[in-house]
Structure formats: structure tokens, C-alpha cells
Amino acid sequence: MTARSLTRIVYPMTGLLLIVVAWGLACWLGRLPVVVLPSPDKVLYAFAGNIPLLLEESWVTLKETLYGFGLALLLGLPMAVAVANSRTLNLMFYPLLIALQSVPKVALAPIILVWLGPDLQSKLAIAWLVAFFPIIVDTAAGLRATPKELLELAHSLKATRTQILFKVQFPAALPFVMTGAKVAITLAVIGAVIGEFVGSSEGLGFLLLTATSQLDTPLAFAALFALSILGVLVYLMVEAVELLIAPWLPPAPERH
Amino acid sequence: MAFGTIKNVRKVFPVGELGSRATEPVVALDDASFSFERGELIALLGPSGCGKTTLLRIVAGLIAKTSGSVTIGGREVTGPLGDYGFVFQAPSLMPWRSVIDNVLFPMEILRRSDKAARARASELLALVGLATFHHARPHQLSGGMQQRVALCRALIHQPNLLLMDEPFGALDELTRLEMNDLLLRIRQETGASVLFVTHSISEAVYLADQVIVFSRRPARVSQQIPVSLPYPRNQAMRFTPAFTQAERAASEALGIVPHVEALAS
């Protein structure tokens, strides 16, 4: 076993194991009721016993997350280009965008539910809303951080605006876009779950609510774990895409 | 008629254009005039911040001049002409492209990226000693190697005029000397005219047919010094009387040493 796999796998696993042991000990020694804190084995049992159900609900939440995230990319990227390349649009909308970013989007969830109903659309909309801002803000920052020399080089060759955008600005901004996308995808999961909390009849968030209302805490924990796994998976997906389209990238630039 | 003529060029940056701190217009370039022949290497020498770089960008058509005229190859420069090569102080390569694709970037913009362009890129990379680095990424190269790639990129479209903005200023002394010789060799093989901004007196004299000396801001051309050393040049020429004489003349023009006549009187 190499030193690298030791530090990257064995140490985190040991840490996790320690926490699970401490958790088990706390349940056993503290004689906590299952409703308050189920022991690890009960959670594992609930997880293993409900795999079809968990998969089904995860699929719903995953769809809401990915649709919301996809829409955020689809709208965020062109808007970032507009804001970064036009002084007028920038002056008109950028301060507004920053101001909107500080609005707690969770507070909008009930309103969106009223507008769009309890189906996929409202969840998608909330996921989109929370994922949209990091994408547009980071992309615009990246576009504007294009090295001046590269722009001058392109101008000195009489490059067209389209050439400058696609051959210079956008590739230069890609590290920023990917950083924004990584933040956005985790936020999109949160957005989807919030949507499910506020009004839904399916999804992991809905399962979590139902389980707690029925005092089935082990199942609630199992849903929670499914949610974490989902969160990690979608994050890894974005990272894989990053490796695929931008293998030259040095370690991600510091944000803000 | 001369290949390039810079006549009474003046550049004033209005309030606000150079950032919000300036409270009055900044005269970056007061009055610059000189001319050069096709194939000549002209060093623009002066203290930092004296407007040499501004002049280079005006010649490139990247920024507008306030008054005066710039003619290159019979054409009045009012915007980018599209057939200049540009080398900056930093290599400014694109990290997302391999070495050869960086070199080919101008050809892509000019929509001339074909087999012949690839062959020429290979030739240029071989000329600068990077024949085996075609598919390397810029971050895998040293600073000097990156600057050599930038040089190839500036030459790929066979420009009329090569504009160089303190291109070797960030390199260590030995690498810099090597790059000087490389530039002279390339100039000989391509026949390109070169405007070379530097603040190193010895670099200016070693490279140039003529050294144009700028005064402090607001910059004016204070003297035009021809260097009488023959090409091809080699490092041993640094220790000849002709070299020292040209260095002395440039130092006098910069006001670093008093004029010989002033001493005599």
C-alpha cells in the first residue's frame, strides 16, 4: 500500500469509524430512546431494508437537482457573458444580482410553491434559484479576469468578438466556472430538499419528513445518509466533468 | 521612404482612464518622432513608466493616439493591422493549450490554421530549441522556455513587424543573454523589423541597429543613437570600444553620466 492511498483512504475511514463507535457508545451508555437517536446498527438495518424505497426517492431528488442545476448553467452562462462584456448591462444588473444573492432563497420557497404547484417544477425552480447565483457571479468574475495581454494579442490580430469569447475569454474563465459549478451543485441538492420540505409527495426530503412524523427515526437517518451520498455523487460528477474538459487546470483558484 | 515613421506622436490619458486616483490628465507621451527601415531592429530605451509601452501599443493600433501620425509599411495606423507579432513581458501563454497550439493561436484567429501553418510552427519551435516540447503544457516549461514559445507565437503569421515589450525583463541574466542571441538569429532568418522596448542599456545596444532614447515622463525622444557594430553579433562584442561608446552615448542621453563635452569645458 502506498503512502498516498494510506493518507487518502485509511485515515478518513479511521476517522469515520471512530465517530460511528462513539455514536454507538453514546446510544448504549446513555440508553437513548430509538426515537431520539437510533444506534448505528439500527440505521444500517433501516437503510438496508429500504433500499428500493430510498433509491426511488433519491431518483426524484436527483432529477430535481440536476434539472435545476442544468437550467442554472443554461441561463447563468449567457447572462454572465452579457454582464461581463457590456458595461451598460453590468452597471444595470450586477449590483442587483449581488443584492439578490443575499436574499435567503429558502424564504421564497413557499411563494414558488404557490406559483408552480407541488410537482417537479417548483422543486426544479428552487434548485435553479440557489444554483444560479454562484454560476453567474463566478463566471462573470472569470470572464473579467481574462489576462489583459491575451485580449491585446487577440485584438492585435483583429479577432472578432466571437473568436475572443470562445478562444480566449471562455477558456480563461473555465476554472472560475467550474468553481461556481461545484458550489452550485451542492446548493442545488439543498434547494431540491427545501422544495420537498415545503410541499411535495415524493423525494428524499419528503421521506425524511414522513419518517420523523411517524417517529421512525432510523428511517429518517437512512434518508439522511442517502441524501449525503447523493450530494457527494453529484459533486464528484461535476469534478469528473472538470477533469474531462479542463485537464490542464492547476488546483482550483481561491474563491472571493 | 522609410518602412516605419513615427511622427510627433502624443498621448494624453484623460482623467479617469488610468484609474480613479489621477486628478488631472496624464501626458504619457509628449512628442515622439523617429523612423526606421525594413528589417531594422530598433530598441526603445528609457526609464520605467516613460511611455515606451504606450508608444508600442499605439503602433500596434491597440490604443488611440492623441495626435501625430504612425505609418508602417505605407499604411497609416488607426487600428490593429493584423500583421504584427506581439511579445509581452510575461509569456502570457494559454494554459489550456499545448505548446504547439499556443504557437498556432494567431493562425486560428486569422483562419489560416492549415498543414503549412503546423509545419511552420514545428520549424519555429525547432529554431528556438523546443522541438521535443510540442505537446507539453506551458506550466511544465521554465520561464525562459515559455518566452521562447511566446516568440514563436509572435512569428507564426510571418508579421511585418515584431513588437516586443520588455520581453526578457523577467528572466535571469544568463537566460536573457541567450535570448538576445536567439532573437538576433531569428531576426536574421525571418528578416522581420523589430521594435524592442527595454530599460537595459546594454541589452538595447547589443541588439539594436538604432537605439531610441526616451526622457522621463512626459516622454520625448531625446536621442537616436546608431550602433555601429556589425551583425551577426556575439557576446565578445560587449567588450569592444564601439559597444562601450554606444553605451556611453545612451547613458548620456538618459542623463546618467554627464556629456563628454560638458566635462571638457
Side-chain angles (χ1 to χ4, degrees):
Chain A
M1 182 177 288
T2 63
R4 194 180 151 79
S5 66
L6 186 80
T7 49
R8 295 213 42 184
I9 298 167
V10 176
Y11 279 112
M13 282 300 167
T14 315
L16 187 67
L17 196 71
L18 280 176
I19 288 172
V20 172
V21 167
W23 167 16
L25 276 178
C27 293
W28 184 54
L29 294 174
R31 293 173 207 284
L32 292 174
V34 175
V35 176
V36 178
L37 185 65
S39 59
D41 58 302
K42 290 209 175 62
V43 173
L44 193 66
Y45 186 74
F47 194 95
N50 290 295
I51 285 195
L53 175 69
L54 286 169
L55 275 179
E56 199 180 312
E57 303 302 339
S58 299
W59 177 241
V60 174
T61 307
L62 180 67
K63 262 198 308 199
E64 296 161 356
T65 303
L66 290 184
Y67 288 164
F69 174 74
L71 196 64
L73 272 182
L74 217 63
L75 291 176
L77 294 184
M79 281 179 74
V81 170
V83 165
N85 280 347
S86 154
R87 207 177 130 72
T88 319
L89 288 178
N90 188 12
L91 288 172
M92 278 166 74
F93 293 117
Y94 205 65
L96 196 67
L97 273 173
I98 301 293
L100 274 178
Q101 199 188 4
S102 54
V103 172
K105 259 75 70 181
V106 187
L108 295 176
I111 302 170
I112 289 174
L113 198 76
V114 170
W115 288 344
L116 297 176
D119 296 328
L120 176 69
Q121 292 91 320
S122 59
K123 262 56 87 191
L124 188 159
I126 297 163
W128 167 75
L129 196 62
V130 291
F132 176 69
F133 288 96
I135 286 181
I136 187 170
V137 170
D138 280 1
T139 305
L143 288 170
R144 270 181 291 148
T146 310
K148 187 171 141 262
E149 285 84 2
L150 291 182
L151 293 176
E152 286 188 336
L153 178 70
H155 282 303
S156 79
L157 294 160
K158 294 208 276 192
T160 62
R161 284 185 81 119
T162 325
Q163 282 179 325
I164 290 178
L165 180 62
F166 286 106
K167 288 188 186 289
V168 183
Q169 282 185 304
F170 202 72
L174 208 50
F176 291 77
V177 178
M178 292 317 298
T179 317
K182 281 190 234 169
V183 175
I185 192 81
T186 36
L187 286 180
V189 178
I190 297 173
V193 172
I194 287 168
E196 290 167 0
F197 278 174
V198 176
S200 175
S201 52
E202 49 182 356
L204 283 174
F206 169 73
L207 181 65
L208 198 63
L209 273 192
T210 330
T212 44
S213 68
Q214 292 165 353
L215 303 184
D216 188 355
T217 315
L219 181 61
F221 266 73
L224 205 57
F225 279 115
L227 200 55
S228 323
I229 294 170
L230 184 113
V232 171
L233 279 183
V234 289
Y235 182 85
L236 288 179
M237 258 160 63
V238 174
E239 241 182 15
V241 169
E242 177 177 7
L243 275 179
L244 206 68
I245 60 173
W248 72 85
L249 284 188
E254 282 299 314
R255 300 187 68 245
H256 310 306
Chain B
M1 198 187 138
F3 173 68
T5 310
I6 281 85
K7 205 169 165 198
N8 301 118
V9 170
R10 183 179 163 83
K11 175 67 186 177
V12 182
F13 287 104
V15 178
E17 201 166 303
L18 285 179
S20 50
R21 255 179 296 170
T23 50
E24 47 193 289
V26 177
V27 184
L29 203 59
D30 190 25
D31 181 7
S33 299
F34 61 90
S35 62
F36 56 96
E37 299 301 325
R38 186 182 290 276
E40 269 195 317
L41 197 158
I42 305 297
L44 308 179
L45 176 69
S48 9
C50 80
K52 312 176 294 268
T53 299
T54 305
L55 179 62
L56 209 61
R57 281 171 168 68
I58 289 173
V59 173
L62 290 171
I63 55 177
K65 54 199 176 296
T66 310
S67 61
S69 76
V70 176
T71 318
I72 304 292
R75 286 180 296 177
E76 171 79 29
V77 177
T78 49
L81 293 179
D83 60 354
Y84 295 165
F86 219 119
V87 183
F88 305 94
Q89 180 165 14
S92 303
L93 300 177
M94 299 171 168
W96 60 89
R97 285 170 176 251
S98 64
V99 163
I100 188 143
D101 286 339
N102 263 288
V103 175
L104 284 168
F105 174 76
M107 299 307 266
E108 270 177 44
I109 296 297
L110 299 167
R111 299 200 169 80
R112 275 160 42 196
S113 185
D114 49 17
K115 254 203 180 127
R118 254 181 192 280
R120 183 167 158 76
S122 295
E123 250 170 61
L124 283 170
L125 285 170
L127 189 64
V128 301
L130 292 174
T132 55
F133 290 89
H134 284 198
H135 302 293
R137 296 277 171 186
H139 69 89
Q140 296 168 309
L141 307 181
S142 70
M145 289 157 96
Q146 290 188 21
Q147 200 55 294
R148 280 187 264 166
V149 177
L151 196 54
C152 294
R153 177 178 65 185
L155 291 165
I156 184 75
H157 52 299
Q158 291 167 299
N160 265 323
L161 179 62
L162 194 54
L163 303 170
M164 306 181 82
D165 187 6
E166 293 182 33
F168 311 137
L171 302 177
D172 63 87
E173 182 71 14
L174 287 177
T175 314
R176 185 175 182 151
L177 295 180
E178 266 175 45
M179 293 296 285
N180 285 170
D181 285 330
L182 178 65
L183 173 62
L184 288 181
R185 213 168 69 231
I186 282 176
R187 205 260 306 227
Q188 193 146 35
E189 294 193 19
T190 59
S193 316
V194 186
L195 289 186
F196 188 99
V197 166
T198 178
H199 50 228
S200 158
I201 297 171
S202 69
E203 184 174 57
V205 170
Y206 185 67
L207 291 174
D209 291 284
Q210 292 188 63
V211 180
I212 311 289
V213 183
F214 286 79
S215 63
R216 274 191 195 288
R217 187 178 271 176
R220 322 170 129 262
V221 171
S222 62
Q223 210 168 334
Q224 188 159 355
I225 300 164
V227 182
S228 56
L229 293 166
Y231 291 97
R233 292 185 184 168
N234 59 63
Q235 297 294 341
M237 290 182 183
R238 288 179 185 277
F239 309 101
T240 59
F243 192 92
T244 322
Q245 212 174 5
E247 272 194 322
R248 168 137 206 139
S251 305
E252 284 173 2
L254 284 166
I256 302 170
V257 296
H259 282 275
V260 181
E261 302 86 59
L263 279 179
S265 63

